[in-house]
Amino acid sequence: MASYDLVIIGSGPAGYVCAIRAAQLGMKVAVVEKRATYGGTCLNVGCIPSKALLYASEMFEEAGHGLEKLGVKVNTPKLDLKAMMAHKDGTVKSNVDGVAYLFKKNKIDGIQGTGKIVAPGKVEVTPESGDAQTLEAKSIVIATGSDSTRLPGIEIDEKKVVTSTGALELTKVPAKLIVVGAGVIGLELGSVWARLGSEVTVVEFLDRILPGMDGEVAKQFQRLLQKQGFTFKLGSKVTGVDTSGKTSKVTVEPAKGGDAETLDADVVLVAIGRVPYTEGLGLKEVGVELDERGRVKTDAHYKTSVDGIYAIGDVIVGPMLAHKGEEEGVALAELLAGQAGHVNYDAIPGVVYTSPEVASVGKTEEELKEAGVEYAVGKFPFTANGRARAMNKTDGFVKILADKTTDRVLGAHIVGPVAGELIAELTVLIEFGGSSEDLARVCHAHPTLSEAVKEAALGVDKRSLHI
Ligand code: FAD
Ligand code: NAI
């Protein structure tokens, strides 16, 4: 029987990063993966392919509508969807191959097959074909990730009614796309297809988009998406999809009850969240407890209810984000090596990769109000930023929330160009416990978009210079 210090089930960002860090620290590591390629949801059907399509479709949109305003005349661009999908597939391939290379480099054994914990210290691996084998492990890590939440009574065929996976593979631009759920997936993939020509209607249960994000940011962002052609049906739910005809008939009802209406759709994207994936792992038999939402329960050091079994990533509590899982992977490997691994959950950025992007770190205004924390707000619009004007990308603003008494920055929210990159310095600031004054006194290159961040920091003390 092959014997390891660490056997990790799942090769997503949480699992593969944990494996690399553990190998760096001298452990003998195996990673069990049931997919044909490494990298999990993120690299195969999540972060990476969606960003490839978001970038390519944004370029298509720019060529069609953005360049002329800069004095660059081009003929009406033509979409080659096959080539765009090939770009996406190539991007996925180079990333998943990259993980295979990193496994080799770090002498990590990648083992293809479905893993099941048959006893503490024992993982049975059943490959697609051939015999099962059992691996012996001092520690086992569950990093099996998550799966799309299904809508009761609505069947997913990944053609007419799709999850994000099907929405990344459409062979034709749907004339009418109905998105169920105004969360991150719905707005990102809705943006891809809207840019390529779909008429997009988003049906959202709540009376706002992007729940959990700062309310003011979400409102502004909704306005901008509407300008891009999105239609929102907030406070509404989809109760049925009839796919028997040429186009599907989608029944939409007010969330609070009332008259239903029927909408036509060529494709329906169900994006109402993700659920932890623990199927077939043998957790019940071995005594690993789940919480009320089906997530693997762990203590602060990622240990489950069974000694020697740990869990990280989407399958445990916390935001379902790749970088959160990666940080947990590193922290757990270090803890297992006797070091002081730690994740600061107050400094995990979240980014929506639309145009403009939305990025956020730390607390929202709503959270601070609810916690009764007194705070000051500094805000700066991109309309007053020289670089944004030069790029003709002036939609949006930076908002910084700081403790009223100590000036410590508690949250930052950006809607605007490359917000996902701009949020990094605010994440560093929060990680270091910095104040808005600290940031306001740092020299920022001119002319850059990051000056809007500095100006928002100055704004906390009402001394922005350029507004
Ligand atoms: P996963 O990546 O889900 O990996 C788990 C792996 O475990 C899978 O490969 C699965 O096959 C394997 N597995 C499961 N059970 C077994 C078993 N019994 N035996 C063997 N293998 C098993 N996050 C971001 O931070 N940024 C983004 O831009 C972003 N975009 C996204 C876009 C989409 C369309 C989707 C769906 C998600 C996106 N996410 C994004 C979320 C991100 O993909 C997840 O947070 C991340 O992949 C979680 O990592 P993980 O390692 O916990 O699990
Ligand atoms: P989400 O949780 O972001 O959004 C789901 C939305 O659906 C919510 O607004 C919710 O109110 C709504 N909803 C729930 N039930 C509904 C119903 N019956 N009818 C109508 N609306 C309903 O989930 P989403 O977008 O599916 O994404 C899943 C996860 O993937 C997220 O947690 C996110 O963290 C991650 N992800 C991250 C990305 C990024 O970081 N850029 C990109 C894509 C996904």
Side-chain angles (χ1 to χ4, degrees), residues 32 34 57 65 153 203 216 249 273 290 317 346 355 393 396 404:
V32 181
K34 64 178 183 172
S57 60
H65 299 104
V203 181
E216 188 184 12
K249 304 281 173 215
L290 304 183
V317 70
D346 286 331
S355 179
K393 299 264 183 242
K404 197 146 205 170

Side-chain angles (χ1 to χ4, degrees), residues 284-343:
K284 200 166 175 202
E285 295 85 334
V286 92
V288 171
E289 285 174 25
L290 304 183
D291 70 11
E292 71 294 344
R293 288 168 65 181
R295 300 173 293 207
V296 177
K297 253 198 216 169
T298 69
D299 65 12
H301 286 174
Y302 310 107
K303 192 178 89 57
T304 68
S305 49
V306 176
D307 282 348
I309 305 181
Y310 302 84
I312 51 174
D314 276 14
V315 80
I316 69 166
V317 70
M320 286 180 163
L321 296 172
H323 42 284
K324 174 261 194 189
E326 291 187 38
E327 293 304 319
E328 289 175 343
V330 169
L332 175 56
E334 292 179 350
L335 288 164
L336 290 173
Q339 299 185 354
H342 175 72
V343 178

